[in-house]
Amino acid sequence: MMRIAIIVGSTRPGRKGEVVAKWVHGVAQGRSDAEFELVDIKDFNLPLLDEPMSPMMGQYAHQHTKRWSAKIASFDAYVFVTPEYNHGTSGALKNAIDFLYHEWVNKAAGFVGYGGASGTRAVESLRLVMGELQVADVKAQVGLSLFTDFENFTTFKPTSGQETAVNAMLDQVIAWGGALKALREKRVEGAW
Ligand SMILES: Cc1cc2nc3c(=O)[nH]c(=O)nc-3n(C[C@H](O)[C@H](O)[C@H](O)COP(=O)(O)O)c2cc1C
């Protein structure tokens, strides 16, 4: 069974990311075509990137990196739940991505963005990063607005249709994740 991580992309106290990611996880668990796990980058206590060698070398000096590497390597695909900070993703999520390389390569990813403008630009910024990591990012994405999906900009109440949007995104992640899993298992010479 394909394993998909739902990654909580914000770490600040009072973050909305946790409730959003838990909701995505709940929707995902209604499916039987993959296994889903909530992965909170906050739990890994990653400092700002402090590895002396490039992650492409895969030779990690620190225990926090080895732990993060083992977790991320164990999945076939990812759903990044990202806030929008200044038209980009969070520094915390970008930093966590930068810690690793081969763990991400030839996997699939989908996005759930949220913010004043539904996290659209945060997702676009992540798509650029995915290209370098050879992650196949799917078109269908979920955008949650502070204006319409949160009551008084505070309490998360996703509008009708958002659950359908999550499932449409997961359909694509599972399809591409499966294709890439087969590719990885073939270990095509020179593929990465
Ligand atoms: C530093 C910072 C920058 C932000 N910049 C934007 C922005 O550029 N566009 C936007 O739509 N919302 C922006 N927001 C609103 C956030 O997307 C919103 O507060 C969201 O809840 C943040 O995610 P979090 O609660 O999980 O940290 C910003 C919020 C913060 C804290």
Side-chain angles (χ1 to χ4, degrees):
M1 180 82 73
M2 198 184 315
R3 280 174 43 76
I4 301 179
I6 294 167
I7 299 179
V8 190
S10 67
T11 54
R12 68 176 187 91
R15 62 189 172 159
K16 295 192 169 61
E18 192 174 348
V19 68
V20 172
K22 282 183 174 162
W23 170 75
V24 174
H25 189 228
V27 173
Q29 281 185 314
R31 306 177 62 113
S32 54
D33 48 358
E35 281 173 10
F36 300 91
E37 184 178 321
L38 205 56
V39 174
D40 192 344
I41 54 177
K42 198 169 194 280
D43 293 340
F44 290 81
N45 289 317
L46 295 169
L48 287 174
L49 180 57
D50 63 347
E51 285 291 337
M53 295 185 80
S54 163
M56 284 192 192
M57 308 303 288
Q59 293 173 32
Y60 302 127
H62 300 298
Q63 197 50 42
H64 53 252
T65 316
K66 290 176 187 166
R67 200 174 145 239
W68 178 234
S69 164
K71 177 56 73 181
I72 292 305
S74 74
F75 296 102
D76 301 298
Y78 310 94
V79 172
F80 293 99
V81 179
T82 179
E84 181 165 308
Y85 293 161
N86 298 315
H87 291 203
T89 191
S90 68
L93 178 55
K94 178 62 165 57
N95 184 59
I97 291 170
D98 291 345
F99 259 96
L100 309 177
Y101 184 76
H102 292 284
E103 297 82 347
W104 303 113
V105 168
N106 287 331
K107 310 257 179 94
F111 307 98
V112 176
Y114 59 95
S118 304
T120 316
R121 295 159 300 207
V123 170
E124 287 299 305
S125 76
L126 276 172
R127 288 188 187 280
L128 285 176
V129 176
M130 295 297 113
E132 176 58 13
L133 292 172
Q134 301 180 73
V135 172
D137 50 317
V138 305
K139 178 178 178 180
Q141 69 186 61
V142 183
L144 297 159
S145 164
L146 291 185
F147 292 91
T148 53
D149 294 299
F150 290 81
E151 208 171 73
N152 300 322
F153 301 97
T154 310
T155 310
F156 184 48
K157 289 218 171 133
T159 47
S160 69
Q162 294 292 19
E163 190 169 326
T164 308
V166 170
N167 275 310
M169 177 270 295
L170 290 175
D171 286 345
Q172 293 188 351
V173 170
I174 290 165
W176 284 26
L180 286 164
K181 188 171 194 217
L183 175 81
R184 291 198 309 281
E185 281 163 1
K186 255 173 91 182
R187 294 257 159 195
V188 178
E189 195 67 28
W192 63 83

